[in-house]
Amino acid sequence: MKLHTKAVHAGDRRKLSPATPVTTPIFTATSFFYDDVETLDRVFADEEQGYCYSRYDNPTNSALEELLTSLESGAGALATSSGMGAIHVALMTALNDRRRSVVASSALYGATIKLLMNVLEPSGVEVRWVDITDLAAVEKAVTEAKAGCILTETISNPLLRVAPLDKLAEIANRAGAALVVDNTFATPLMCRPLEIGAHLSVHSVTKYLAGHGDVLGGAIISDAAHLATLRTLAKTCGPNLGPFEAYLTMRGIKTFPLRMERQCANACRVASWLATHPRVSSVYFPAAPQHADAATTARLFPQGLFGAMVSFDIKDGARGQVFQFINGLRMIVRATSLGDVHTMVLYPAMSSHRDISPAQRRRLGIGDNLLRLSIGIEHPDDIIADLDQALNKTN
Ligand SMILES: *Cc1c(COP(=O)(O)O)cnc(C)c1O
């Protein structure tokens, strides 16, 4: 079945199990009982498929997990309470029986950098940072560090570099390391990391998958080799998504391919329009043939789908002009987050990259005049009109 069909059918309308919830659905029940205790005994022993306690498995979450597994061709999935929870559990799974050493992309989401530096390094995990698009540098770091894991995002934030996942998978597999991919920005419509050799794919479902700005959640899609470890770790650490959020996420996913197609098409329109605006000096968007990762983009993504994030520099802009622009917007929402149905704007120097020194930001190519847009499903003319009137107020 094609992705659009799976999005509305997979996981849903399952036959009810013989288990009886002790409270009523949405399956808020924390525990389940059976007509006889022998069945419960077999369920506890994993000898029979069934539910006993919601930290182990819950019918609502399990339906969402079946859907996610189907969308990204995994062997199984885990729905978690946030994207960060998903990344944490995925890294623990990857390193479970490997050397506790991670080669990480230097352009990761801010909280992921903090997870590595402030949580994992103090607990004895070695971390090496590399430019993930430089394959020779990745290979060298993986060999030198005898890495147990390579961690990258499919599309980086906020400069939208595209990671060569197929080549990274070859490096990881040669070295016996796990490739963990944060696929939040690309979504399963554009990229299914497990199909090209990655071992664990993670999402902040808060973003495109749920898509309506009303769910905080995460997901890990696993290959067969890591699934048992993932489920065991989850049972012990308890990073579970609540069943209400699982329900909302499943509801969101039914329209996710349609939203994402529209958002990607809108982003193409906005990116080309911004490139012609006199108040804009650079546009960051993977569609351009002269983009540094054009070859990777062409190899990994379907035609015409380049993601729905667009970043740009305001010409000769400093903080003052940037604030003028943001305050001048009438429709576009000034808020942290991305992937929602409405278009949003974010100022990285003030938010995601605030804790990084201006000098370090400049080295990363993130200027004080850089803005990031998450393009929504509105009519593109309205998005462009709002950007135009706000840009024309800057001087
Ligand atoms: C938002 C985000 C996260 C964190 O997800 P939460 O749901 O906020 O915990 C991780 N990675 C990327 C790329 C994100 O955009």
Side-chain angles (χ1 to χ4, degrees), residues 88-384:
H88 191 188
V89 176
L91 289 174
M92 309 243 301
T93 302
L95 297 177
N96 185 58
D97 53 3
R98 290 191 178 90
R99 226 177 91 71
R100 292 170 67 75
S101 161
V102 178
V103 168
S105 162
S106 48
L108 291 172
Y109 182 73
T112 308
I113 295 175
K114 287 184 196 161
L115 172 69
L116 289 165
M117 289 177 58
N118 303 345
V119 180
L120 295 183
E121 278 189 316
S123 72
V125 176
E126 274 172 37
V127 182
R128 281 206 195 200
W129 305 92
V130 292
D131 171 354
I132 208 73
T133 63
D134 181 346
L135 289 168
V138 175
E139 180 109 52
K140 183 165 177 281
V142 167
T143 308
E144 282 177 7
K146 298 190 177 63
C149 168
I150 301 175
L151 174 65
T152 186
E153 290 163 12
T154 312
I155 304 176
S156 78
N157 174 37
L159 296 176
L160 311 176
R161 296 296 304 264
V162 181
L165 295 185
D166 48 352
K167 311 282 184 203
L168 294 171
E170 285 167 19
I171 295 175
N173 282 311
R174 268 203 300 280
L179 175 61
V180 178
V181 177
D182 181 337
N183 199 34
T184 302
F185 275 36
T187 81
L189 183 70
M190 290 171 60
C191 180
R192 294 172 290 280
L194 271 52
E195 288 179 3
I196 46 176
H199 304 91
L200 294 156
S201 168
V202 303
H203 287 271
S204 167
V205 307
T206 313
K207 315 292 170 52
Y208 293 100
L209 292 175
H212 295 75
D214 54 7
V215 176
L216 189 73
I220 305 165
I221 298 102
S222 174
D223 67 358
H226 296 84
L227 188 58
T229 304
L230 173 65
R231 297 299 316 189
T232 306
L233 264 173
K235 260 187 184 179
T236 313
C237 300
N240 312 57
L241 184 66
F244 281 111
E245 285 80 5
Y247 163 80
L248 279 175
T249 303
M250 211 166 169
R251 182 182 166 97
I253 288 177
K254 292 184 194 299
T255 55
F256 136 73
L258 304 182
R259 286 186 274 108
M260 189 63 186
E261 279 170 352
R262 173 65 174 260
Q263 284 169 277
C264 287
N266 280 357
C268 281
R269 277 276 310 270
V270 169
S272 353
W273 176 82
L274 278 171
T276 65
H277 199 284
R279 294 295 301 130
V280 172
S281 52
S282 327
V283 177
Y284 306 88
F285 187 63
Q290 66 275 18
H291 188 280
D293 308 316
T296 308
T297 301
R299 202 169 67 243
L300 297 187
F301 298 158
Q303 241 183 346
L305 299 177
F306 302 100
M309 306 297 297
V310 181
S311 299
F312 66 97
D313 291 325
I314 294 193
K315 194 172 192 172
D316 307 320
R319 219 177 146 82
Q321 283 81 29
V322 169
F323 276 30
Q324 247 178 347
F325 166 75
I326 297 176
N327 282 327
L329 292 166
R330 294 181 183 139
M331 176 196 79
I332 294 171
V333 182
R334 295 177 280 267
T336 305
S337 198
L338 60 109
D340 290 339
V341 284
H342 47 261
T343 299
M344 303 171 92
V345 66
L346 178 108
Y347 180 32
M350 180 189 77
S351 51
S352 54
H353 293 72
R354 189 186 185 99
D355 297 340
I356 298 172
S357 73
Q360 172 73 1
R361 276 205 299 268
R362 263 193 302 282
R363 267 198 298 280
L364 291 172
I366 299 166
D368 283 350
N369 57 343
L370 177 77
L371 285 149
R372 188 196 82 184
L373 296 168
S374 165
I375 304 296
I377 63 170
E378 301 97 336
H379 196 288
D381 292 352
D382 290 324
I383 302 171
I384 287 171

